Amino acid sequence: EATMGPDPISETPVDFDILLNNIYDQLKTEFLFDANGYSHYWGDIGTNMARINPNSMGRFGDLDQYYFQPSDYVINEVWSEHYRVIRLTNIGLDEIKGLDQSLEEEVGAVRFESEFRFLRALLYFNLVKLYGNPILVTTAEFNSNNAPHVQGREDVFDQIVDDLIFAQQNLSSGLAKERASKEAATALLGKVYLTMAGFPMYQTDKYALAIEELQKVVGG
């Protein structure tokens, strides 16, 4: 038996370090960036230049043959997992926006914001390459069922670029390879510009921007 007092239960503030570590751990799962998961067959790694042993494909066999259908379990799980982790980045960013100015420097708000935005950009970049026109969500409080979806991929790429520029300007250099760094943001931004310059957007002015960014990390 328990007796509760009249005071409401207080909400525990978000621990940014724990949230970030959780997000990094999620990136290693089979429906995000585990090289032994779907990405071995579909995305940057998957090609039609080599055949995977058909006995080891499992549920990824259709992807290896570029056979896609709306009911495909893997395609739906990849979509859902990206948005689940994007929501975690948005929770962190929403919490940072709600901080008192006096607390921002104390908790290192800029560093955390830079990492959250790098991770959100990374996830959206993967989504837009895989699905073409994902739903752009930049807040944790969002109901996709009530959102008309006509935005086009340009808005997603604009957000990716904006997030990466912020991360590049505010992240530290030379961090461990398991974490976002200034160099990681710079290299990813260069890759994003290369993608925008090619099919299907053909924004060829981005080639020069890609060279500018990638030259910064040559030999680094």
Side-chain angles (χ1 to χ4, degrees):
E1 181 177 321
T3 303
M4 301 295 291
D7 296 329
I9 298 172
S10 60
E11 183 178 351
T12 303
V14 168
D15 186 313
F16 295 121
D17 274 315
I18 290 177
L19 181 58
L20 268 176
N21 289 334
N22 179 261
I23 293 172
Y24 283 116
D25 284 341
Q26 297 302 312
L27 297 186
K28 304 171 188 176
T29 57
E30 66 173 334
F31 295 120
L32 288 175
F33 293 102
D34 177 14
N36 293 314
Y38 82 91
S39 63
H40 195 65
Y41 305 88
W42 179 35
D44 288 350
I45 301 174
T47 73
N48 60 357
M49 300 300 174
R51 289 288 296 158
I52 305 297
N53 182 345
N55 295 322
S56 66
M57 288 179 183
R59 56 188 168 185
F60 302 122
D62 287 345
L63 300 180
D64 186 64
Q65 299 178 51
Y66 295 91
Y67 179 66
F68 302 98
Q69 52 186 338
S71 60
D72 190 295
Y73 169 79
V74 175
I75 292 172
N76 283 288
E77 282 300 302
V78 171
W79 174 273
S80 297
E81 282 298 287
H82 276 72
Y83 275 105
R84 187 178 64 79
V85 182
I86 284 171
R87 184 172 185 273
L88 295 179
T89 68
N90 284 334
I91 287 173
L93 290 166
D94 286 354
E95 287 291 321
I96 289 170
K97 288 178 185 175
L99 288 175
D100 291 333
Q101 283 190 329
S102 59
L103 287 175
E104 288 182 2
E105 188 172 344
E106 180 181 336
V107 301
V110 173
R111 176 180 73 83
F112 286 120
E113 181 178 355
S114 301
E115 285 200 72
F116 285 128
R117 292 183 69 169
F118 172 88
L119 291 163
R120 184 171 67 181
L122 176 68
L123 291 158
Y124 267 122
F125 186 42
N126 211 40
L127 273 178
V128 77
K129 287 184 295 176
L130 293 173
Y131 296 92
N133 183 22
I135 301 169
L136 182 61
V137 184
T138 57
T139 177
E141 300 303 322
F142 180 83
N143 185 349
S144 61
N145 295 325
N146 299 328
H149 183 47
V150 294
Q151 71 201 17
R153 74 184 72 217
E154 289 83 1
D155 288 348
V156 180
F157 271 104
D158 287 345
Q159 184 64 56
I160 292 168
V161 169
D162 188 56
D163 282 345
L164 288 177
I165 289 175
F166 183 90
Q168 181 191 52
Q169 291 173 345
N170 293 286
L171 285 170
S172 300
S173 292
L175 298 177
K177 64 181 180 180
E178 294 85 3
R179 302 293 292 239
S181 65
K182 182 182 292 290
E183 292 81 8
T186 300
L188 187 58
L189 181 58
K191 187 175 181 180
V192 169
Y193 283 143
L194 271 180
T195 304
M196 297 173 76
F199 174 85
M201 297 174 72
Y202 295 118
Q203 295 184 7
T204 53
D205 60 306
K206 299 297 192 300
Y207 280 125
L209 295 177
I211 291 173
E212 181 182 343
E213 296 303 326
L214 295 173
Q215 282 180 336
K216 297 174 184 176
V217 293
V218 171

